[in-house]
Amino acid sequence: MQTPVHLDPQHNVTELGYVGIGVSDLDTWRTYATGVARMEARDGPGDGFQLRLDTWHHRIDVRRDPSDDVRYIGWRVRDQDALEGMAQRLDAAGVPFRRGSEEDCEERRVLGLLKLADPGAIATEIFFAPEIGDHRPFHPGRPLHGRFLTGEHGLGHCFLSQPDPDAAFAFYKLLGMRGGVEYKFDVPDGPQKRPIFMHCNRRQHTVSFGRGYEGKKRINHLMFEYTNL
């Protein structure tokens, strides 16, 4: 019998912190991000750019990649002690991971980082202490009446394609999230859909997936929210 893993709530993930995406058309994405979504673009490492939604150095890293899909997802923990606690938790559960190098942390603009993969083979990162530039005001790409709702709510939420929703549920529960199936419904000529919603802060949910949602892309959508559109 497998020994239950102790989940100290102080070590749980607290938010969806950042994502990396690959896009085939950088120019169109930059126009959309700044001219429509009203994010602030800044130069980033490699062939691409980075997007600010608040005073974080960046929330979205965009690179040229023909996949047009998510490249990685970053989940924040409270501090270094929480990161060490999460490392012990993953080790006890038999989940393979590696510690991010100094170069990895510098690229992500964080002080500490664990790198692993979720059951859907989506590159997953757990980090603490993102670089926050309160000295540099956020400048939206076009006038914005309100602001992006981030802070304690995190970046937003993501809906992922998970071939095995049960394994995904167990994985994200191990990270400290809570939730489950909230409803089910039938669709014409398709499998019954049973979306699973999981949360780690005041957002209704932060990650979701479910039976009947397996797609060609690893991500179905990324939601970000405005206080006043």
Side-chain angles (χ1 to χ4, degrees):
M1 180 181 297
Q2 185 176 4
T3 303
V5 177
H6 174 61
L7 303 183
D8 186 335
Q10 298 298 315
H11 303 157
N12 291 346
V13 299
T14 61
E15 65 175 279
L16 171 61
Y18 56 71
V19 300
I21 62 174
V23 304
S24 55
D25 189 337
L26 284 172
D27 291 339
T28 299
W29 263 92
R30 190 171 187 132
T31 298
Y32 165 74
T34 58
V36 178
R38 307 177 186 192
M39 300 175 185
E40 176 187 354
R42 65 188 307 169
D43 293 335
D47 189 4
F49 54 90
Q50 295 174 326
L51 297 169
R52 297 180 85 210
L53 283 72
D54 50 21
T55 57
W56 280 39
H57 181 275
H58 68 277
R59 290 283 193 169
I60 303 174
D61 184 80
V62 185
R63 303 289 181 94
R64 189 184 303 278
D65 183 335
S67 68
D68 284 308
D69 206 348
V70 66
R71 295 171 47 242
Y72 58 83
I73 299 176
W75 302 97
R76 185 184 188 181
V77 291
R78 187 182 61 178
D79 52 24
Q80 186 170 5
D81 287 343
L83 190 73
E84 292 304 315
M86 181 61 73
Q88 294 173 18
R89 182 186 299 184
L90 295 171
D91 189 56
V95 177
F97 67 92
R98 73 172 179 86
R99 293 181 182 273
S101 65
E102 190 69 30
E103 292 75 18
D104 292 330
C105 294
E106 185 64 26
E107 182 174 332
R108 298 293 189 260
R109 300 286 182 146
V110 301
L111 292 186
L113 180 67
L114 305 177
K115 297 175 77 72
L116 58 154
D118 78 0
I122 297 173
T124 300
E125 300 178 353
I126 301 172
F127 70 94
F128 80 98
E131 180 179 329
I132 297 176
D134 287 326
H135 63 286
R136 177 178 175 174
F138 166 67
H139 293 287
R142 58 179 288 209
L144 181 63
H145 284 287
R147 60 181 176 83
F148 289 97
L149 183 63
T150 55
E152 63 181 327
H153 296 83
L155 167 59
H157 78 234
C158 56
F159 199 111
L160 306 176
S161 176
Q162 294 287 348
D164 187 341
D166 292 334
F169 178 76
F171 175 83
Y172 286 101
K173 188 174 180 181
L174 181 67
L175 299 191
M177 297 193 193
R178 306 167 299 282
V181 175
E182 295 193 359
Y183 55 84
K184 60 183 179 179
F185 62 95
D186 296 316
V187 295
D189 302 320
Q192 185 183 72
K193 294 186 181 293
R194 295 180 174 224
I196 296 170
F197 300 93
M198 304 192 75
H199 60 93
C200 58
N201 53 41
R202 293 180 61 194
R203 284 200 185 275
Q204 192 277 336
H205 68 280
T206 300
V207 65
S208 49
F209 44 85
R211 301 196 185 283
Y213 290 97
E214 300 79 5
K216 295 180 181 180
K217 303 291 185 179
R218 291 189 293 273
I219 190 167
N220 176 287
H221 67 258
L222 170 69
M223 185 282 286
F224 47 88
E225 185 177 354
Y226 305 90
T227 60
N228 184 349
L229 184 59

